Amino acid sequence: MNSQDMSIVSLVLNASWVVQFVMLLLIGVSIASWAAIFRKLFALKRVRSLNDDFEREFWSGTSLNDLYAGAAQNSKNAGPMERIFASGMREYQKLRERRITDPGTLLDGARRAMRASFQREMDVIESSLSFLGSVASVSPYVGLFGTVWGIMHAFTGFAGMEQVTLANVAPGIAEALVATAIGLFAAIPAVVAYNRFARDIDRVATHQETFIEEFSNILQRNLGAQPGSASGH
């Protein structure tokens, strides 16, 4: 490569095949990472919106039975909080159909159903987060591998030269360093997104756990006032 031709494109095209493979791999990972970031961004926005809508309806005074009927009809488009509520009410109704009247048994059954549903919902919400974490932690090392290999390849080429100048060394070293730059380009957005999403997911989880406790308290009050009834809150 001409020592004066130091554009990024020229550096990539003139790199060794191993370094080019590393660069191509990192570019592919970066594209996948950005796709995961945008999917997660919109998914979390939708989760928060659906949870807020259901919570407003829940506290508007609508009866629990009416809310449960609506959740059953809207199961495909319901948010996580609504599905958690529906799981608790479904178990509560099943226990009542079995003629179980003990308040503790009814409440424990509903709570266990909601906790199981909560865990399923969190598994879905947390999807892709581990991928972003892997990209953030591994990409710089993959880029570093490409750089080390490129430097080794460059110095091997200088072995037969009687006189090595900076003009001879610079292009080979620059080619190798591009791999590290691409690795960092892939890793930095993944790190930022991972930390942001982890914080947002923790807030969603806390919000949903709080709802489970509030709904359990409502069921407990209803069971104390009118055993076997869950008509209002």
Side-chain angles (χ1 to χ4, degrees):
M1 184 178 69
N2 189 325
S3 61
Q4 301 301 316
D5 189 2
M6 298 287 286
S7 67
I8 296 296
V9 174
S10 296
L11 292 174
V12 171
L13 293 178
N14 288 280
S16 67
W17 70 269
V18 174
V19 177
Q20 287 180 339
F21 174 76
V22 169
M23 292 177 184
L24 184 63
L25 177 64
L26 289 171
I27 290 172
V29 167
S30 180
I31 293 172
S33 174
W34 277 105
I37 288 170
F38 282 111
R39 283 198 307 270
K40 183 59 63 180
L41 192 65
F42 291 120
L44 285 176
K45 183 178 179 181
R46 183 172 183 271
V47 164
R48 287 193 296 266
S49 176
L50 290 172
N51 281 353
D52 290 344
D53 290 344
F54 174 73
E55 196 168 25
R56 277 194 298 270
E57 186 178 4
F58 181 84
W59 293 113
S60 67
T62 306
S63 73
L64 297 180
N65 289 328
D66 289 343
L67 286 172
Y68 177 56
Q73 293 176 356
N74 192 42
S75 58
K76 292 184 178 180
N77 298 318
M81 189 177 290
E82 189 170 3
R83 285 193 289 267
I84 290 170
F85 162 79
S87 296
M89 281 295 294
R90 187 182 304 113
E91 184 64 20
Y92 177 87
Q93 298 284 16
K94 286 180 179 178
L95 291 174
R96 286 183 59 197
E97 290 172 1
R98 291 166 54 186
R99 307 293 184 182
I100 294 175
T101 57
D102 178 59
T105 303
L106 291 169
L107 188 60
D108 288 345
R111 188 189 292 272
R112 283 196 300 270
M114 286 190 290
R115 296 301 304 183
S117 179
F118 167 80
Q119 192 57 58
R120 288 193 297 271
E121 295 297 336
M122 291 309 302
D123 287 343
V124 173
I125 293 173
E126 290 173 353
S127 63
S128 301
L129 201 61
S130 59
F131 171 72
L132 291 176
S134 298
V135 171
S137 59
V138 174
S139 293
Y141 295 103
V142 175
L144 184 60
F145 166 76
T147 294
V148 172
W149 186 276
I151 291 174
M152 290 171 55
H153 183 266
F155 276 102
T156 300
F158 302 146
M161 295 183 179
E162 296 182 357
Q163 184 177 5
V164 179
T165 65
L166 182 60
N168 300 131
V169 174
I173 301 300
E175 290 170 7
L177 290 175
V178 171
T180 295
I182 297 176
L184 293 174
F185 177 78
I188 291 172
V191 170
V192 174
Y194 179 88
N195 292 333
R196 162 73 183 276
F197 293 148
R199 185 175 64 252
D200 290 347
I201 289 172
D202 283 343
R203 289 175 179 171
V204 170
T206 301
H207 194 191
Q208 293 179 166
E209 286 179 324
T210 301
F211 172 78
I212 290 173
E213 294 303 317
E214 290 173 335
F215 180 44
S216 297
N217 290 336
I218 289 169
L219 284 180
Q220 188 172 25
R221 287 198 301 270
N222 287 341
L223 288 169
Q226 297 177 353
S229 173
S231 60
H233 58 292

